[in-house]
Amino acid sequence: MRTFAFLFAAFALSLPASAQEAGERLSSDEIGSWMRVVQVKPGMTQAPQGQVPAEFRGDDSCRWANDNECDDPRYGTGACAINTDYSDCWRILTGAEDDSCQWANDNECDEPGLGTGACVQGTDSTDCGDVVQLRFQTDSCETAFDGVCQEAEHGGDGSCAQRTDRSDCIGRERPLTIFDHYFGYDDRVFLDTSEFPWVAVGQIDFDSGGACTATLIGPDVLITAGHCIADGASVNPSGSFETGYALSGGPRTARVIDYYMSPNWDYQRYSTTNDIDGTDWALLRIDRPLGDEVGFVGVRALVDESGERAALRAEIYQAGYSHDTGDHLSGNIGCHMVTIYRDNTMAHECDTTRGDSGSPFMIREGNEYFIVATDSNFRRNPNGPYFYIAARADEWVPYYEPFLNGELGQLRRTTGGDSVKPGSGNTPVAPIK
C-alpha cells in the first residue's frame, strides 16, 4: 500500500545536536537532501477540522511533537492525537500566528511543507502569508483535477473530503515563493495506470523507509534516482516495486535484487555541492520480469543524440507519485527542458514535487516512449524561484545494456543456485488490461 508524509521531522531530528541547539539554518543543499525522499509519519489522516477554543491547551506528548509541523487532526497532519502537539500547533489553531521565528522577515517562507522547515508553523507569518492557504491541502480526492470543487466546505457536494480537492476548490495558481516544485501554475493531471506508458511507472517502498518513483526500462530493470537508495556512505536498494494500480487484478509487485550506480557517485559531494548532480541515477533489477507483462519504455540519450536545440524543443511527458495526490499517479504532459547543463543535468519546468524523485521525463515518437531524464534535485536561484534539476539519461545510457544483460551489478544475487535471468531488448509492449 502506498503511504506518504513529510520528512521534515525526521531530518530535523537527524541534525547534529550542536546545530539544533544553535538554531543553525539549513543550507539549500541540506534542505535538498531531505526533500528528495518522502518518508512516513505514522497515523497520517485527513481528519476534519473542528472548533478550537481560544484558550487551547495541551501538551507535547506525541512522538511527533516539537518537529515544527502541526500534527493535530483538527488542522494539521493528523499524525498526533488531539492536544498532544501543543507547541507546534497552538498558534495556527488559535489564530495567533506571528513573526517570532529567528528567520522571520527574510523574504523566504520557513515553515514546513510550504517553506524550508526552519521555523515552527505559525512563526514566520509575514514571509509565508501568500502561501498559508495551501497549508495541509492536497489533491488526493478521486476526482481532483477535474475542474469541479467537491468539498462541502467550499460549496461542493461533499464527495471529496475536506482538504483533498485543493486545485479545484482553491485554484491551481502557486505563489513563486512556495518551497516546492511548482511553477506558478499546477498543470498536473491524473494518469491511467492501466494504460501504457503509465503502467510502467511505479513506486518503490524501501525497507529502510521512504519511497521514490521508478520506471520499467526492461523486463526486469528499473531506473530511479541514486539518492533514493543512497544515504551517506551506505547504499540500500532493498524494497518492493509496485505498479499498475488500475490493472485488473490489482497492482503488480516485485522485489529489488540488484543495482548499479554511477562510478562517480559520491553522496557527500552530491549532498553538499552541485558538481555531480548528473550522477544521481540508479539502475535496479527486480526479481520478476514485470516488463514482459505490463510493458516498458525505451531509453534515449536525447542531448547527445539530437543536440541541445532539439532537446529544448521536445515535449516532455513526466509522471510520478507525488506526495500530495494520494494513491494517484499524476503527471505534467507537454512541459519542457529549459536549460541544458554540461554535467548531464537539465533544468525543467515540469510540475514535480516530493515523492517524484526518480520519476521519468519521457519523449514520445509515435506510440513509443523513451525516458530521457529522471527527477533529481534543485538549485537556489538568487533572482527568482529555484531551478529544478533532472539527471539526464545521457550519463547512464552507456551502462544500460551491460546491466540489462547481467554484465553489471553490485549484488549479483542468485536464486535457486542460478543467476538471475537478465532481461533482453527494450521494445515497449502493450500493457495487459
Side-chain angles (χ1 to χ4, degrees):
M1 179 179 292
R2 298 182 55 242
T3 50
F4 293 110
F6 304 131
L7 182 56
F8 303 105
F11 182 77
L13 294 174
S14 70
L15 285 175
S18 59
Q20 295 181 51
E21 293 169 2
E24 181 180 341
R25 189 166 193 183
L26 308 180
S27 69
S28 61
D29 292 313
E30 289 171 325
I31 294 166
S33 73
W34 55 257
M35 277 190 70
R36 295 166 192 146
V37 180
V38 178
Q39 290 190 344
V40 175
K41 183 181 282 186
M44 289 288 287
T45 68
Q46 284 291 342
Q49 182 176 347
Q51 295 297 315
V52 181
E55 65 277 9
F56 169 60
R57 293 290 183 270
D59 58 37
D60 291 327
S61 59
C62 178
R63 64 173 295 191
W64 302 106
N66 296 303
D67 67 354
N68 291 355
E69 179 177 56
C70 178
D71 296 302
D72 190 294
R74 289 169 293 185
Y75 192 91
T77 68
C80 294
I82 290 176
N83 295 339
T84 64
D85 192 19
Y86 174 77
S87 295
D88 291 335
C89 297
W90 72 267
R91 291 178 181 84
I92 62 176
L93 283 170
T94 61
E97 299 189 38
D98 56 35
D99 286 321
S100 59
C101 179
Q102 69 179 109
W103 306 113
N105 296 305
D106 66 352
N107 297 317
E108 181 177 50
C109 179
D110 292 303
E111 75 164 59
L114 306 177
T116 68
C119 295
V120 176
Q121 280 176 330
T123 66
D124 193 17
S125 180
T126 299
D127 291 336
C128 298
D130 59 348
V131 295
V132 292
Q133 68 169 343
L134 300 174
R135 192 187 274 152
F136 304 119
Q137 302 281 343
T138 74
D139 287 300
S140 57
C141 182
E142 289 294 322
T143 56
F145 298 134
D146 69 351
V148 179
C149 176
Q150 291 165 327
E151 291 184 28
E153 295 75 12
H154 292 277
D157 62 9
S159 58
C160 288
Q162 185 179 14
R163 299 184 287 176
T164 65
D165 200 15
R166 172 185 54 192
S167 293
D168 294 334
C169 296
I170 297 178
R172 288 178 177 255
E173 293 295 336
R174 302 287 177 259
L176 293 179
T177 53
I178 195 169
F179 190 85
D180 216 326
H181 293 45
Y182 299 119
F183 295 87
Y185 190 88
D186 188 348
D187 291 292
R188 293 177 300 168
V189 295
F190 286 158
L191 301 167
D192 187 348
T193 57
S194 69
E195 298 291 338
F196 191 81
W198 318 122
V199 68
V201 182
Q203 179 187 261
I204 303 173
D205 285 302
F206 295 102
D207 296 346
S208 58
C212 278
T213 301
T215 308
L216 281 161
I217 55 172
D220 59 354
V221 173
L222 309 171
I223 184 68
T224 190
H227 69 254
C228 291
I229 67 171
D231 183 11
S234 64
V235 177
N236 185 1
S238 298
S240 296
F241 175 71
E242 193 169 40
T243 194
Y245 295 95
L247 287 174
S248 175
R252 308 306 193 253
T253 63
R255 293 285 301 175
V256 177
I257 58 172
D258 201 0
Y259 74 97
Y260 187 78
M261 299 179 70
S262 170
N264 297 316
W265 170 262
D266 182 306
Y267 182 85
Q268 181 63 25
R269 192 177 175 198
Y270 171 74
S271 298
T272 57
T273 75
N274 295 324
D275 297 342
I276 59 168
D277 289 349
T279 68
D280 185 25
W281 55 267
L283 294 164
L284 306 178
R285 195 182 316 281
I286 53 178
D287 64 356
R288 295 178 57 199
L290 295 182
D292 284 339
E293 181 181 3
V294 304
F296 55 92
V297 300
V299 303
R300 179 70 55 83
L302 181 61
V303 175
D304 286 353
E305 293 179 15
S306 302
E308 293 187 10
R309 183 173 298 181
L312 292 170
R313 287 199 304 262
E315 286 199 344
I316 300 295
Y317 294 72
Q318 183 277 330
Y321 286 97
S322 304
H323 78 96
D324 59 352
T325 55
D327 291 335
H328 305 283
L329 180 68
S330 62
N332 191 176
I333 308 303
C335 52
H336 294 86
M337 303 181 187
V338 294
T339 306
I340 306 297
Y341 298 108
R342 299 300 182 187
D343 63 351
N344 285 314
T345 63
M346 68 180 196
H348 65 86
E349 63 177 6
C350 305
D351 289 322
T352 58
T353 184
R354 293 184 306 278
D356 285 311
S357 281
S359 65
F361 294 77
M362 298 180 286
I363 60 171
R364 180 178 181 177
E365 296 180 359
N367 293 323
E368 294 185 305
Y369 292 81
F370 300 86
I371 189 167
V372 298
T374 47
D375 196 40
S376 172
N377 201 354
F378 72 98
R379 294 172 183 164
R380 190 178 292 274
N381 175 17
N383 300 313
Y386 291 100
F387 296 123
Y388 293 98
I389 302 300
R392 300 197 330 256
D394 304 74
E395 219 266 347
W396 56 262
V397 161
Y399 303 101
Y400 167 69
E401 288 287 350
F403 185 78
L404 185 72
N405 295 327
E407 299 166 15
L408 290 177
Q410 300 296 330
L411 301 180
R412 299 295 184 92
R413 293 185 179 178
T414 60
T415 303
D418 297 324
S419 298
V420 176
K421 183 179 180 180
S424 60
N426 68 341
T427 303
V429 297
I432 64 172
K433 302 296 184 181

